[in-house]
Amino acid sequence: MISIQNVSKHYGTFQVLTDCSTEVNKGEVIVVCGPSGSGKSTLIKCVNGLEPFQSGTITVDGVSVGDPKTNLSKLRSRVGMVFQHFELFPHMSITDNLTIAQVKVLGRSKDEATDKGLKLLDRVGLKAHAAKFPGQLSGGQQQRVAIARALAMDPICMLFDEPTSALDPEMINEVLDVMVELAQEGMTMMCVTHEMGFARKVANRIVFMDQGQIVEDDAKDAFFGNPRSERARQFLAKILTH
Amino acid sequence: MYEFDWSSIPGALPFLWEGMKVSLEITACAVLFGIAWGTLLAMARLAAIKPLTWLAAGYVNLFRAIPLVMVLLWFFLIVPQVLRGVFNLSATTDVRLASALVGFALFEAAYYSEIIRAGIQSVPKGQVAAAAALGMTYAQAMRLVVLPQAFRNMVPLLLTQAIVLFQDTSLVYVSALADFFGVAYKVGDRDGRLVELLLFAGAVYFLICFAASQAVRHYQKKLNAHGAH
C-alpha cells in the first residue's frame, strides 16, 4: 500500500532523512517511533507529499508521490491524516468540519456528506456535539473529530502524526481507543507515536528512527523482546521505565 | 479679534450633504477595491513563485513610499493623457475623475495588502497542511480555510484603515472632485467664511471618525472576549 524506497531529504546542508526505506502492506499497522528530532514526523509527511523530498521514491497505492506529474491533491484526498494539534477548522461547526472536504473535494451532496459525517461522529462517541465549534471541545474530543473527518473521505490508509502528544494524559486513552478499533477493523495505518502500549496491542511492525535514519524495522515482538540496536534499547529503556 | 459668523452654514447644508455622499462613496469604493486587490497582492507576496513575490513587493513598497496627494495628481493629470493617446479617446471623454479614483484605490490597496498579509500569516501553518491533507487545492485551502480565519482576525484593522481612508478622501480636492472637504472649502471661499466652514468640516470629520473608532474598539473587545472561536 505504502512503499518508501531510499528516501533522503535535506534542508540546505542539514540532512533530515537519510536513505529511509520501509513498506506498509494493506491492513498493516506500522508504528514509527524514535527520539524527538529523529525525522519521523518528516517521514510521515513525505508519504502524502506535505513535505517534499530530494531523492528516493514513495508510492501510495501505486501512485508515485514525488513524481511532478502526480495530482497530489487527488492522492491526498484518498490518504487520511491526523495531526498532533488536531487542526480542526476553528471557524466552522463540527458538522461543517466533517463535510467540507467531502463536498468540495469529493463532490458529494451536502445531505450525503452530512449523513456520512454524523455517522462517523457517532462512531467516535461525539454525536451530541455536532453543532458545536472546535473551541468548545476538549483536546481529546477534537482529536476524535479530526479522526472522523479523515475517515469521512473513505481513505485507503491513515497517517497519524503524534496524535496524542498534545493531549492531557487523561484524554490520551479516548483517542487511542478509537485508533485501536480502527486497526482491528483492518485499516492500513502508519502511526508516529510514543504510545508503546498502543504499539504492543495493534502494531504489526515497529520502525525505529534516529538521526534521520531507520535504525530498526522489526516485527513487534522482536522489537520489544530484543531490539538489535543499542540506540533502540536505550530509547525503550527510557520510555518504558516511566 | 476675529468674529465668528456661522450663518452661512445652515444654508450650505444640502451642498455639504452632497459632498459627504461623494466622500462616503469614494471611501466605499476604495475599501472594496482596496481589499479585493490587496488580497490578491498579499497572496502574490506569499506565493511560492518568486517573480510574483517581487512584483507584489515592488508595488506595495512603491505606493507606500509616495505621498497620496502626488498619486492623485498623477492619476488626475498624466494618466488620462496617456489613456487618451493609447485608446484614441475623443477629447470630450473626461476620464480624469475616474482616473483619480482608480489611483486612490490602487494606493489604498498597498496598505490593505500589508494588513491582509499579516492576517494570512496569523493563521497557523497547520491549517493549510490539514486542508491540503484533505485533498483541497491551494486555492480551496485559501478560500475555505485560511482567508475566512484571516479576515476574522483582521476586521478591526481593516475598519481602522477604512477610517484613515475616509480622512484621506479629503485629498481628492486636488482633482476637483466635490467631496465633503471640497464643498466646505468652496462654500467658505464663496461666502468669505473659510475659517468657519473649515472648523465645521473638521468637527464633522472628527465626530464621524471618533465614533467609528469607538465602534471598532467595542467590536474588538467583543472579538477578544470570544477569542477561541
Side-chain angles (χ1 to χ4, degrees), chain A residues 76 87-88 90-91 104 153, chain B residues 127 132-135 140 144 149:
Chain A
R76 287 176 186 141
E87 304 300 352
L88 294 179
H91 59 300
K104 300 286 179 181
M153 303 294 284
Chain B
Q127 290 281 302
L134 285 166
Q140 283 177 321
L144 302 170
Q149 294 183 61

Side-chain angles (χ1 to χ4, degrees), chain A residues 62-81:
Chain A
V63 179
S64 170
V65 179
D67 186 341
K69 287 197 288 284
T70 297
N71 183 343
L72 267 185
S73 296
K74 185 153 187 216
L75 177 65
R76 287 176 186 141
S77 72
R78 303 169 63 213
V79 178
M81 185 158 203

Side-chain angles (χ1 to χ4, degrees), chain A residues 47-115:
Chain A
V47 173
N48 65 352
L50 285 182
E51 289 275 0
F53 48 93
Q54 280 88 16
S55 63
T57 55
I58 297 179
T59 55
V60 178
D61 195 29
V63 179
S64 170
V65 179
D67 186 341
K69 287 197 288 284
T70 297
N71 183 343
L72 267 185
S73 296
K74 185 153 187 216
L75 177 65
R76 287 176 186 141
S77 72
R78 303 169 63 213
V79 178
M81 185 158 203
V82 175
F83 296 86
Q84 184 176 358
H85 295 288
F86 334 133
E87 304 300 352
L88 294 179
F89 305 134
H91 59 300
M92 295 179 196
S93 70
I94 298 305
T95 306
D96 287 343
N97 264 281
L98 291 164
T99 56
I100 182 125
Q102 292 187 68
V103 173
K104 300 286 179 181
V105 176
L106 300 182
R108 288 180 184 157
S109 74
K110 186 90 192 158
D111 288 346
E112 188 189 356
T114 308
D115 209 43

